[in-house]
Amino acid sequence: MKPARPSICCGLYDGAWPAAAPLLRIGVLLSAFVGLGGCEQNTFVPPPPPKVEVAIPVQRSITRFLETTGTTAPVKSVDLVARVQGFLQAIDYQDGTFVKQGTTLFTIEPETYRLKLEQAKAAEAGAQATLKQAETDYKRQVDLVQRQAVSQATLDSSTATRDNAQASLQQAQANTQIAAVNYGYTNVTAPFDGIVSAHLVSVGELVGVSSPTQLATIVQLDPIWVNFNVNEQDVLRVREEARRRGLSVSDLRQLPVEVGLQTESGYPHQGKLDYISPTLNQSTGTLAVRGILENPNRVLLPGFFVRVRVPYDQQQNALLVPNIALGSDQAGRYVLVVNSENMVEQRKVHAGQLEGELRVIESGLKPDDRVVIAGLLRAIPGQKVDPQLQKIEASASAK
């Protein structure tokens, strides 16, 4: 009995397997290629453009400022010195305290100078008595000369005596004034309201021996100066604006000055310009300017580094974008703009001052440009994006 022959559907095995094996392999390969040709072809589908948020620049009126840094300085700062020689008798204040004008701060051995003043007053009184007697004798001699009772020489002698007595009285009066001044110097008083530094001498120390001895320093804190420098470009811009508005130098000195400390937000301290240098510093190319501010609470101390800004112009329809929308490279500042074909462009701009969270764009941007304000990492220049139009919330200007 013959063994059963295996069969395969779609190509039965007819028992001649070894002989038909090459043909079978070819048929299987052809069937595979036919099957592959009947499948759907796999093609690349590009991803959709990334979504970014864009916004139209805000247009509004702004105040243009000169912004710089400066330092505070006292309007008055005086070294208190001993102008007479003597032993320091008393220190009449606490170091670092505020004192009013005329307050006695140091006392320097006043008794000796008081006695000298009394001595000068006594000499002045004697000179006055001598002059009185000389004038009486002069009048008598004048009467006798008129009656020809005495000679003219006697009258001349009496006149000289009277004149010498007048000169002696004047000298005595000057000595009295000098003694009074020296006696006044024994009490060193505050020349103005201010803060007095720590004393530099001790009670019982001999002061004013060969030269004036410094005792302490008094500093006035209200008002206070703010010194800063303006570069040449800003000077030219302000002068041009002043010329356009017909402002004089005295008018510029009335411009307000706004000051803020490094730890403060905005510019809470207000003042006005006090001085403008007539010449530029050639080594730095800057103009020295000074402002004066009221400082009743003594928040500002001499030597502080402060932020300063001076408003000098009003600009209508300025363009502003969020400050975070600006980037920078070696060529300067730029923003990313989406054009009409939704392609990203890198636009070079000239950035101006900061208004709250918005930055003023001086040039390089048009009012209808769509500026990328979010998704900056997905916005690549030269590539398409899916812009999502947003509205910029115009934040308040910095205070």
Side-chain angles (χ1 to χ4, degrees), residues 181-329:
V181 169
N182 289 332
Y183 178 60
Y185 287 157
T186 61
N187 289 325
V188 181
T189 61
F192 47 81
D193 297 352
I195 304 293
V196 186
S197 68
H199 59 274
L200 303 177
V201 294
S202 302
V203 173
E205 187 173 345
L206 181 63
V207 297
V209 179
S210 57
S211 62
T213 303
Q214 183 176 352
L215 307 175
T217 301
I218 183 170
V219 179
Q220 184 184 37
L221 299 181
D222 183 25
I224 194 168
W225 279 332
V226 175
N227 297 309
F228 55 96
N229 294 314
V230 180
N231 63 55
E232 184 175 353
Q233 186 176 10
D234 288 337
V235 171
L236 295 175
R237 185 162 58 247
V238 172
R239 286 173 62 89
E240 176 62 25
E241 179 62 23
R243 186 195 61 79
R244 185 181 66 82
R245 296 169 56 184
L247 300 178
S248 62
V249 176
S250 59
D251 295 329
L252 291 177
R253 288 177 179 170
Q254 300 303 316
L255 289 177
V257 175
E258 302 176 2
V259 173
L261 295 173
Q262 302 300 322
T263 56
E264 294 175 332
S265 60
Y267 300 82
H269 308 285
Q270 309 294 324
K272 65 178 182 179
L273 287 182
D274 177 65
Y275 169 76
I276 301 175
S277 174
T279 59
L280 268 74
N281 187 329
Q282 292 185 351
S283 62
T284 61
T286 59
L287 184 73
V289 183
R290 186 179 70 200
I292 187 168
L293 295 85
E294 298 295 329
N295 190 30
N297 297 325
R298 297 189 286 278
V299 175
L300 301 175
L301 297 179
F304 275 171
F305 283 93
V306 294
R307 295 173 291 108
V308 183
R309 71 177 186 180
V310 179
Y312 69 93
D313 184 25
Q314 292 285 336
Q315 181 180 356
Q316 305 295 327
N317 298 324
L319 299 181
L320 299 94
V321 299
N323 193 43
I324 59 174
L326 274 81
S328 62
D329 56 17

Side-chain angles (χ1 to χ4, degrees), residues 53-356:
E53 294 183 6
V54 298
I56 304 299
V58 174
Q59 293 190 45
R60 72 178 185 204
S61 300
I62 63 167
T63 301
R64 298 171 68 89
F65 295 94
L66 288 179
E67 297 184 0
T68 183
T69 58
T71 56
T72 55
V75 174
K76 296 179 182 178
S77 179
V78 174
D79 292 335
L80 303 172
V81 298
R83 302 183 65 178
V84 292
Q85 179 179 339
F87 292 96
L88 186 64
Q89 182 171 308
I91 299 176
D92 304 305
Y93 76 99
Q94 294 292 325
D95 293 348
T97 57
F98 176 80
V99 297
K100 301 291 290 183
Q101 181 179 0
T103 302
T104 299
L105 305 176
F106 298 92
T107 303
I108 304 172
E109 198 175 2
E111 187 62 23
T112 300
Y113 294 93
R114 183 184 65 80
L115 294 175
K116 289 182 179 180
L117 176 59
E118 292 179 355
Q119 183 181 15
K121 288 181 178 180
E124 181 182 352
Q128 287 177 342
T130 301
L131 176 60
K132 184 177 181 181
Q133 182 181 1
E135 287 180 342
T136 301
D137 183 68
Y138 169 77
K139 291 178 181 178
R140 184 183 303 111
Q141 296 301 325
V142 170
D143 183 61
L144 291 175
V145 168
Q146 290 177 351
R147 289 184 295 172
Q148 298 182 350
V150 296
S151 65
Q152 183 65 34
T154 304
L155 177 60
D156 293 343
S157 177
S158 178
T159 302
T161 301
R162 184 202 61 177
D163 293 343
N164 287 333
Q166 287 179 341
S168 298
L169 176 59
Q170 291 177 352
Q171 182 176 2
Q173 289 173 341
N175 291 336
T176 301
Q177 292 177 358
I178 293 174
V181 169
N182 289 332
Y183 178 60
Y185 287 157
T186 61
N187 289 325
V188 181
T189 61
F192 47 81
D193 297 352
I195 304 293
V196 186
S197 68
H199 59 274
L200 303 177
V201 294
S202 302
V203 173
E205 187 173 345
L206 181 63
V207 297
V209 179
S210 57
S211 62
T213 303
Q214 183 176 352
L215 307 175
T217 301
I218 183 170
V219 179
Q220 184 184 37
L221 299 181
D222 183 25
I224 194 168
W225 279 332
V226 175
N227 297 309
F228 55 96
N229 294 314
V230 180
N231 63 55
E232 184 175 353
Q233 186 176 10
D234 288 337
V235 171
L236 295 175
R237 185 162 58 247
V238 172
R239 286 173 62 89
E240 176 62 25
E241 179 62 23
R243 186 195 61 79
R244 185 181 66 82
R245 296 169 56 184
L247 300 178
S248 62
V249 176
S250 59
D251 295 329
L252 291 177
R253 288 177 179 170
Q254 300 303 316
L255 289 177
V257 175
E258 302 176 2
V259 173
L261 295 173
Q262 302 300 322
T263 56
E264 294 175 332
S265 60
Y267 300 82
H269 308 285
Q270 309 294 324
K272 65 178 182 179
L273 287 182
D274 177 65
Y275 169 76
I276 301 175
S277 174
T279 59
L280 268 74
N281 187 329
Q282 292 185 351
S283 62
T284 61
T286 59
L287 184 73
V289 183
R290 186 179 70 200
I292 187 168
L293 295 85
E294 298 295 329
N295 190 30
N297 297 325
R298 297 189 286 278
V299 175
L300 301 175
L301 297 179
F304 275 171
F305 283 93
V306 294
R307 295 173 291 108
V308 183
R309 71 177 186 180
V310 179
Y312 69 93
D313 184 25
Q314 292 285 336
Q315 181 180 356
Q316 305 295 327
N317 298 324
L319 299 181
L320 299 94
V321 299
N323 193 43
I324 59 174
L326 274 81
S328 62
D329 56 17
Q330 293 181 349
R333 307 296 296 275
Y334 66 86
V335 295
L336 298 178
V337 176
V338 179
N339 61 20
S340 59
E341 298 178 357
N342 292 341
M343 299 286 290
V344 179
E345 297 179 356
Q346 181 173 306
R347 189 77 56 80
K348 299 296 181 182
V349 296
H350 180 207
Q353 66 196 34
L354 193 64
E355 294 280 324

